[in-house]
Structures are given as structure tokens and as C-alpha cells.
């Protein structure tokens, strides 16, 4: 079933907070953000730029103090001044009056925080899922997790090729906004969309998440290729075959091919696998340069979701009968002691086959 949305005909189009073309009557301006990492903070800054009144929930008291007292988040988004209208709290109950909440915690904390938040919010308040990953214990997507943890809340997914620092600075960016309800989708876009943050509507909630799940694992693989200095030909080949894995897995989970070729799929894959700004690619790079995976991960404050996702994704692909050799190899390097020499040899000596398979 095709779930792509078309732009509705409107006699009097609404406009975004910065005067950009809108997509319908927006939701109210009180935007909550659960998670004060780099991306959560950047989304709050972006919402503020569009005229919203963002309030970020942060786990760390020092982050709350920094945002409120210095208009900055040096721990997670250093060097980016924040609008003084971006405020923070350490109490989830303070989000009870929000018109819209963006959920941006690490994926493995989504269930716990969604359950806690649901106790404070009216069931009509939409939750926009911005975390990229699968729940390790269940192999469920974030939309499936939240449907169980916060039943009754309207849900949308925001995903695309966005480095947090660039988004926070107002540099041009774009993303997919997917929801089952096209009216909700358009109202969220009218609230969050800007001339410099272009949001494209979709009805493919599953597909908008699959790309962000798989691309993090591919970014680790690309980082390893970079660290081993295997060259740009190898990187391009890995990216292309990574897209093939993403597509096979996505189709098996009910995603649409067009979504996987769009911003939340191919777009996010290209960005995350092209720069060491990516936490996942930089993790792979350090491993490729000889670092021990466990040691590298232990020394990081920000979460590289691909390190958790690799094992879950590999197991889920095996369960579904989907061939994902790059994913299997990354999982084996991170979790099963496979050497990099053996990993490269295993991938290069696979049998030749038709490209479309």
C-alpha cells in the first residue's frame, strides 16, 4: 500500500514561524523535548527559531543549569549559542502543558521515558519520535515501543540527514516527517518546518525508521574502512551495498522502497557515512585505527547507537531470512571478537552474484 502524502490544496496556505510556506494550521507553540543531547538541543533551537516555546527535559542537572543560565549546552553541543527562549528542566512533569513533545532520548531509554511522560500528558498530545535505533531486548522500532509505553498518543517519526550542530546553527537541512494521520503530519510540519528546515510528509512510519536503524551500522563499517585506509572505492562500494541491505531489510519489515531511497534512508546513509562528525563513523574509524571496541565505547559520553543496533539488527535479519553480510560482520567485530583482517577477507571473498540480489 502506498502511503506517500501529497501536498493538500489550500486556498489560504499557512506559513511557518519564519514566513516559510506552511502545510496547514500548526499545533500550539508549547513544544517539549525529551533528551538534551546534541540532536534534542538542536531541535529545540530550531523550534524556537520558528516561534515555538521549547522546554527541554534533561537527565543531567548541570545540563539544565547550563541551558538556563548560559544559553548553551557545552556537554553535548559545544560552541553553539542557544536562543535564550530555549529553556530546560529536570522534571518530566513540567512538560505536562505541552502541545507537542519531541522524543529524543537514546533508543534504549525510550520505553522508560515514554511510560513516565505518559503519566503527565493528555492522551491527545502528539509524540514525535526522533531517536534512531531498535530496542535491544525486543528488536522493536521506536514507534512500536511507544505504542506500548504510551498507548493512545498520536505518533509521528522525524528522520533525515541532519548533523545537530549544523541544524542548530540554522544551516539548510531537510528531513522526513512520517505519520499514519496525514492531518497530524501536516500540522506538525506547520509547527516545526522552516525555510532552513524543510520537512517532507510521508505515511510510511516503518520506512522512516528503518533507514536510521541500518545507516548507523553502515557508518561503523564505513569508519572502519576509513581507519584501515582502504580507499574511496571501497567506501563507495560499501555504501552502495549498505543501501542494498537497508532496502532488503526494510521491505521485509513492511517499508516502502521510495522511503528508503529518500531523506530518511539514502540521504541519512550518505551523510552519516561521509563525515567523522558522525558518532558512529568516528567509532568505526577508531576501531579501524587499532582501537579496542569496548575501550573506545567506554570513553565516550554520547551514545553511538549503531554499536547497540548491530547485534539486534543482525539477529532480526537472520530471523527474517534477510541477507545482511555487512551488518553481520560489524556485529562480529564489535561483539564476537572477529579480527579486522578476517572481517575484510570474509567480505571480499564472498561469492560473486547479480547486483540486484
Amino acid at each position: 500500500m502506498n502511503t506517500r502524502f501529497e501536498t493538500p490544496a489550500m486556498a489560504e496556505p499557512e506559513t511557518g514561524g519564519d514566513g516559510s510556506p506552511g502545510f496547514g494550521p500548526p499545533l500550539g507553540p508549547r513544544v517539549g523535548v525529551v533528551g538534551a543531547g546534541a540532536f534534542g538541543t538542536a531541535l529545540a533551537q530550531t523550534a524556537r527559531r520558528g516561534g515555538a516555546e521549547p522546554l527541554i527535559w534533561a537527565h543531567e542537572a548541570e545540563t539544565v543549569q547550563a541551558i538556563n543560565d548560559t544559553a548553551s549546552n557545552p556537554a553535548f553541543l559545544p560552541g553553539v549559542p542557544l536562543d535564550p527562549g530555549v529553556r530546560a528542566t529536570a522534571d518530566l512533569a513540567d512538560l505536562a502543558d505541552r502541545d507537542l513533545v519531541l522524543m529524543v532520548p537514546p533508543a534504549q531509554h525510550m520505553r522508560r521515558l515514554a511510560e513516565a511522560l505518559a503519566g503527565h500528558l493528555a492522551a491527545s498530545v502528539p509524540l514525535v519520535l526522533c531517536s534512531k535505533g531498535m530496542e535491544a531486548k525486543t528488536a522493536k522500532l521506536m514507534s512500536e515501543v511507544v505504542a506500548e509505553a504510551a498507548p493512545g498518543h498520536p505518533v509521528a517519526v522525524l528522520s533525515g540527514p541532519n548533523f545537530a550542530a549544523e541544524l542548530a546553527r540554522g544551516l539548510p537541512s531537510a528531513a522526513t516527517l512520517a505519520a499514519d494521520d496525514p492531518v497530524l503530519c501536516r500540522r506538525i510540519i506547520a509547527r516545526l518546518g522552516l525555510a532552513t528546515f524543510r520537512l517532507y510528509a510521508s505515511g510510511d512510519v516503518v520506512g522512516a525508521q528503518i533507514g536510521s536503524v541500518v545507516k548507523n551500522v553502515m557508518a561503523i563499517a564505513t569508519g572502519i574502512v576509513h581507519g584501515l585506509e582502504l580507499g574511496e572505492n571501497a567506501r563507495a562500494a560499501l555504501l552502495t551495498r549498505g543501501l542494498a541491505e537497508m532496502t532488503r531489510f526494510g521491505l521485509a519489515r513492511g517499508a516502502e522502497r521510495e522511503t528508503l531511497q529518500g531523506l530518511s534512508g539514502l540521504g541519512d546513509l550518505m551523510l552519516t557515512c561521509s563525515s567523522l562528525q558522525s558518532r558512529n563513523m568516528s567509532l568505526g574509524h577508531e576501531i579501524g585505527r587499532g582501537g579496542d571496541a569496548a575501550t573506545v565505547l567506554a570513553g565516550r559520553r554520547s551514545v553511538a547507537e549503531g554499536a547497540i543496533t548491530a547485534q539486534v539488527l543482525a539477529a532480526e535479519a537472520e530471523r527474517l531470512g534477510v541477507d545482511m553480510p555487512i551488518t553481520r560482520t560489524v556485529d562480529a567485530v564489535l561483539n564476537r571478537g572477529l579480527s579486522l583482517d578476517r572481517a575484510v577477507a570474509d567480505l571480499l571473498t564472498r561469492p560473486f552474484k547479480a547486483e540486484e540480489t
Side-chain angles (χ1 to χ4, degrees):
M1 180 178 67
N2 191 302
T3 54
R4 309 302 291 177
F5 292 154
E6 300 297 330
T7 302
M10 294 186 295
E12 296 291 339
E14 301 287 336
T15 59
D18 64 345
S20 60
F23 214 10
L27 292 164
R30 296 169 299 185
V31 174
V33 180
V34 175
F39 194 43
T41 305
L43 287 171
Q45 173 92 325
T46 303
R48 180 60 183 165
R49 192 173 287 119
E53 302 163 10
L55 179 64
I56 308 176
W57 174 84
H59 174 69
E60 303 86 358
E62 62 270 24
T63 299
V64 173
Q65 183 176 6
I67 292 172
N68 291 337
D69 294 350
T70 70
S72 67
N73 187 348
F76 296 103
L77 198 61
V80 180
L82 302 178
D83 186 294
V86 175
R87 309 299 293 169
T89 180
D91 188 350
L92 275 176
D94 289 341
L95 302 184
D97 67 346
R98 298 292 97 179
D99 301 307
L100 171 70
V101 176
L102 310 182
M103 301 294 294
V104 208
Q108 305 313 313
H109 296 283
M110 179 66 82
R111 184 180 295 273
R112 174 179 62 83
L113 288 170
E115 287 176 345
L117 181 66
H120 302 294
L121 287 179
S124 59
V125 176
L127 305 179
V128 180
L129 313 183
C130 310
S131 303
K132 300 179 177 182
M134 300 172 73
E135 188 173 54
K137 293 181 180 179
T138 65
K140 291 182 177 179
L141 299 172
M142 294 297 98
S143 61
E144 297 167 322
V145 170
V146 171
E148 295 174 354
H153 283 272
V155 167
V157 170
L158 188 152
S159 185
N162 301 129
F163 282 145
E166 295 184 12
L167 182 62
R169 292 189 175 101
L171 297 177
S173 303
T176 298
L177 194 287
D180 291 331
D181 179 355
V183 175
L184 173 66
C185 196
R186 291 162 186 154
R187 294 192 71 195
I188 294 172
I189 288 176
R191 167 49 58 202
L192 299 178
L194 302 172
T196 54
F197 187 43
R198 296 191 56 80
L199 296 177
Y200 289 82
S202 171
D204 187 5
V205 173
V206 171
Q209 296 172 89
I210 292 294
S212 65
V213 167
V214 179
K215 63 92 184 181
N216 281 334
V217 178
M218 297 305 146
I220 294 174
T222 307
I224 291 173
V225 166
H226 190 273
L228 289 171
E229 298 182 356
L230 297 181
E232 293 304 306
N233 292 349
R235 187 176 73 89
L238 190 147
L239 270 172
T240 308
R241 298 311 300 167
L243 178 61
E245 291 194 17
M246 178 188 293
T247 302
R248 289 196 294 269
F249 184 77
L251 294 178
R253 285 296 303 263
E256 295 178 9
R257 188 180 299 271
E258 293 86 352
T259 307
L260 302 172
Q261 294 172 348
L263 289 164
S264 62
L266 176 60
D268 208 357
L269 180 71
M270 290 173 60
L271 181 71
T272 311
C273 297
S274 66
S275 171
L276 292 178
Q277 287 186 64
S278 160
R279 291 191 293 268
N280 292 283
M281 184 173 173
S282 65
L283 168 64
H285 176 78
E286 290 187 56
I287 294 171
R289 299 292 290 174
D292 172 72
T295 303
V296 173
L297 284 166
R300 292 178 163 227
R301 182 166 189 173
S302 295
V303 177
E305 289 286 0
I308 300 169
T309 301
Q311 187 171 11
V312 185
L313 184 59
E316 184 68 357
E318 183 176 359
R319 183 185 73 81
L320 293 171
V322 178
D323 187 29
M324 301 185 74
I326 301 172
T327 300
R328 283 200 309 271
T329 300
V330 172
D331 173 37
V333 168
L334 293 179
N335 302 304
R336 307 180 199 286
L338 182 67
S339 71
L340 295 184
D341 287 344
R342 184 71 261 169
V344 172
D346 287 349
L347 287 174
L348 292 180
T349 57
R350 297 182 73 242
F352 296 117
K353 63 178 185 176
E355 185 175 18
E356 63 271 15
T357 60

